Amino acid sequence: EVQLLESGGGLVQPGGSLRLSCVASGFTFTNYAMNWVRQAPGEGLEWVSIITTSGGETVYADSVRGRFTISRDNSKNTLYLQMNSLRGEDTAVYFCAAVNGCSGAHCPGVQKWGQGTLVTVSS
Amino acid sequence: DIQLTQSPSSLSASVGDRVTITCRASQGLSSYLAWYQQKPGKAPRLLIYTASTLQSGVSSRFSGSESGTDFTLTISSLQPEDFATYYCQQLNTYPWTFGHGTKVEI
């Protein structure tokens, strides 16, 4: 069974840090570029970041560039998101998501999704 | 950034209705557009990729089409399990962007 299991969410104060993890199972992790997508309470989806299969390339949304760092450990089938300098507007459910079949930035669609982990930034 | 204008933002429909949702892109996407279904408290589910290709395991009542920078998701005969929010996403150019969603209600 394909699974993406996120963890690491919780309550953090503004300016604080948090590290999210996502463990993949049931598919060949190294064949997939990995993403983080977030959804603020009652709002729509916002793409956050992507990392290529090897980890050699990363791209970020403007809203998180310079504060968030995406990484992966292919030996552990695990994706990470290090979040620093957190703000209230970062409050959201963070989804880990997998995509393959890409040609550079051109990808068909995000095929696999985790259930999400909630990050709340509040004093 | 590429803007996706999704319409309508919500609609009311009945079981058996044909439903059409539109997503207009601010520039060309070379067909790299996907449609997702999301139910409350759940992760999105991929329905259509590269504008018109049905994802494996998805009912054939879902279909996608494109005309220039206009993309359409059609549900041919709405079923009870189809009441949800639908999003389009462009995967042509970073940063990838989503439409604001269409909530399909009874």
Side-chain angles (χ1 to χ4, degrees):
Chain A
E1 179 191 5
V2 171
Q3 268 199 318
L4 290 169
L5 188 60
E6 302 98 334
S7 61
L11 175 63
V12 61
Q13 292 188 339
S17 298
L18 214 53
R19 189 198 199 198
L20 306 183
S21 299
C22 171
V23 178
S25 60
F27 65 100
T28 305
F29 184 66
T30 51
N31 286 348
Y32 286 77
M34 296 300 297
N35 298 260
W36 290 99
V37 175
R38 69 185 180 182
Q39 187 169 35
E43 301 296 324
L45 300 167
E46 179 187 14
W47 176 80
V48 173
S49 182
I50 188 170
I51 186 167
T52 54
T53 55
S54 66
E57 182 182 357
T58 58
V59 185
Y60 298 91
D62 288 347
S63 58
V64 306
R65 187 179 298 115
R67 301 187 299 123
F68 290 10
T69 302
I70 191 173
S71 61
R72 65 191 293 164
D73 185 338
N74 285 344
S75 69
K76 297 181 178 179
N77 284 3
T78 303
L79 173 72
Y80 302 100
L81 185 68
Q82 177 66 44
M83 304 185 295
N84 298 331
S85 303
L86 283 161
R87 306 166 180 167
E89 55 264 38
D90 296 318
T91 295
V93 173
Y94 285 73
F95 295 102
C96 163
V99 59
N100 76 345
C102 300
S103 175
H106 309 304
C107 293
V110 179
Q111 298 100 339
K112 306 182 192 301
W113 295 77
Q115 286 306 301
T117 186
L118 176 63
V119 172
T120 303
V121 184
S122 175
S123 55
Chain B
D1 297 0
I2 295 177
Q3 309 301 317
L4 297 179
T5 303
Q6 198 173 330
S7 60
S9 56
S10 65
L11 64 90
S12 296
S14 300
V15 172
D17 284 353
R18 181 181 181 89
V19 169
T20 299
I21 299 169
T22 297
C23 182
R24 174 166 290 174
S26 59
Q27 57 187 271
L29 301 180
S30 301
S31 301
Y32 287 102
L33 183 114
W35 290 97
Y36 302 88
Q37 176 193 68
Q38 188 181 33
K39 296 182 179 180
K42 301 294 186 181
R45 173 195 176 204
L46 178 64
L47 300 175
I48 301 286
Y49 61 93
T50 53
S52 60
T53 305
L54 191 67
Q55 171 70 356
S56 175
V58 174
S59 170
S60 58
R61 64 180 179 273
F62 292 94
S63 64
S65 64
E66 68 174 302
S67 176
T69 57
D70 290 342
F71 298 83
T72 301
L73 173 70
T74 300
I75 310 172
S76 60
S77 177
L78 200 65
Q79 297 302 300
E81 60 268 31
D82 300 336
F83 291 95
T85 300
Y86 295 84
Y87 294 93
C88 57
Q89 182 196 21
Q90 67 84 14
L91 302 98
N92 183 64
T93 304
Y94 293 133
W96 292 347
T97 47
F98 288 90
H100 286 98
T102 296
K103 187 173 184 179
V104 176
E105 301 174 295
I106 300 174

